[in-house]
Amino acid sequence: MNRKIIKPYGDTLNDGKMQLSFALPVSCDAFGKEAARILLIQMGFDSAEITGMRDLNEGFTHFIAYAATSVGVDTSKIKVKVVETPVMDMETTDTFIAEHLGRKITVVGACIESDAHTVGIDAIMNMKGYNHRYGLERYHGFNAINMGAQVPSEELLAKAREVQADAILVSQVVTQKNIHVKNLTRLIELAEAEGLRSKMLFVCGGPRISHELAIELGYDAGFGTGSYSTDVASFIAITVAKQNV
Ligand code: B12
């Protein structure tokens, strides 16, 4: 494979220039600015210039910096695990489900445990949709049940069992102290203990979720930042149809 080294683009191609933003526990003055610059040089940047600073009060300052790196990435060596099913629009997915299954696909979704962030799961499931894509509730081919946020794992599994769901959709947005990993692991362990894991697809999502992490945690797929209902609907429809062959 041909090596292809890329570097950040600032002013001219491959000049390595990056904009950085960070906070330090220093005063908002010449001393703090120099501390920020030295930090960047110690991090390995070839040059660093502090172009903005803002007093955050109580001895903290926020900095904006431009720094240049000589480090590049060889894109020919990159391997990532991604969901490989093709992405269909809503109408095509509905037609696919009608033709391949002849029944609705039932999905139950929730943001589990202490996590109160509903916007992500709503973006995928809500009738109104997100960024010009309707959510699963709008699809003819889906019976979509959105249980909202702060749903205990036990309740999500009980609902999935009650409605004989084809798929469970779990959202985790808060990742402090890896709470998302703990919650997602516990849900899978409970599902295994209750004999549910093999009966339905388990799909998780959130800003720090990758497909690779999802697979590692025992899920069928994971969707991170920038995912849409169309990605999830296509994955579920195609996978459920394959299992029904
Ligand atoms: C809005 C918001 C809130 C609102 C939530 C309101 C609501 N009803 O959802 C409120 C004010 C309640 C809130 C509270 C808190 N928040 Co808040 N919040 C945010 C904020 C600003 C936006 C999140 C959001 O809506 N994003 C938009 C959606 C569309 O993006 P998304 O969630 O990533 O979803 C997409 C993908 O991830 C994926 N996806 C997500 N879920 C799923 C599920 C499935 C099945 C699939 C397939 C895909 C998928 O698809 C979506 C569409 O592309 C973020 C900062 C930010 N800018 O992101 C902080 C942020 C998430 N919050 C944070 C924190 C810390 C909190 C609090 C702990 C603050 C506090 N100390 O009280 C509390 C926690 C409360 C709780 N118990 O959970 C931190 C989390 C840090 C971390 N890494 O853990 C963030 C990152 C802010 C920060 N920088 O500190 N928050």
Side-chain angles (χ1 to χ4, degrees), residues 2-230:
N2 287 340
R3 272 162 62 84
K4 182 160 193 277
I5 311 286
I6 56 158
K7 281 200 235 164
Y9 174 101
D11 191 21
T12 53
L13 188 64
N14 281 340
D15 62 13
K17 292 245 170 81
M18 302 170 75
Q19 185 182 2
L20 298 116
S21 151
F22 56 97
L24 286 179
V26 289
S27 49
C28 186
D29 53 19
F31 172 85
K33 193 175 169 186
E34 184 58 3
R37 194 191 67 80
I38 292 172
L39 177 76
L40 292 169
I41 297 298
Q42 285 180 358
M43 284 169 76
F45 288 103
D46 293 345
S47 64
E49 196 186 337
I50 307 300
T51 56
M53 58 181 185
R54 190 167 55 101
D55 194 349
L56 297 176
N57 294 324
E58 296 180 13
F60 286 84
T61 300
H62 177 248
F63 296 95
I64 306 281
Y66 282 94
T69 178
S70 53
V71 177
V73 175
D74 184 352
T75 54
S76 66
K77 293 212 173 106
I78 294 175
K79 290 192 182 84
V80 276
K81 273 192 192 150
V82 289
V83 174
E84 280 172 0
T85 42
V87 180
M88 304 180 281
D89 63 21
M90 182 174 75
E91 290 75 19
T92 312
T93 303
D94 277 341
T95 309
F96 180 92
I97 294 170
E99 284 173 359
H100 290 81
L101 284 161
R103 65 167 177 88
K104 281 182 188 260
I105 292 176
T106 297
V107 298
V108 184
C111 187
I112 58 168
E113 303 303 337
S114 57
D115 201 330
H117 294 85
T118 49
V119 184
I121 190 77
D122 285 349
I124 304 298
M125 298 190 75
N126 198 288
M127 171 80 71
K128 285 185 284 185
Y130 166 71
N131 215 354
H132 308 289
R133 274 93 163 171
Y134 291 125
L136 300 184
E137 287 170 2
R138 188 89 172 211
Y139 285 62
H140 292 300
F142 279 94
N143 170 28
I145 302 161
N146 183 352
M147 296 178 75
Q150 296 196 318
V151 177
S153 296
E154 290 83 352
E155 271 179 37
L156 174 60
L157 292 176
K159 187 70 179 177
R161 184 189 288 281
E162 178 199 322
V163 298
Q164 296 186 352
D166 296 284
I168 277 189
L169 302 184
V170 198
S171 182
Q172 283 289 267
V173 176
V174 176
T175 58
Q176 289 164 330
K177 297 186 180 157
N178 271 341
I179 187 69
H180 62 309
V181 172
K182 287 171 199 152
N183 288 341
L184 291 170
T185 304
R186 182 167 175 271
L187 181 85
I188 280 291
E189 284 172 1
L190 283 172
E192 268 162 13
E194 292 181 23
L196 278 181
R197 177 62 191 98
S198 55
K199 295 204 170 103
M200 52 193 74
L201 294 177
F202 280 72
V203 175
C204 58
R208 302 284 176 276
I209 306 282
S210 63
H211 184 54
E212 188 161 7
L213 174 68
I215 300 291
E216 252 173 53
L217 298 178
Y219 286 71
D220 294 292
F223 294 88
T225 302
S227 22
Y228 291 116
S229 54
T230 40

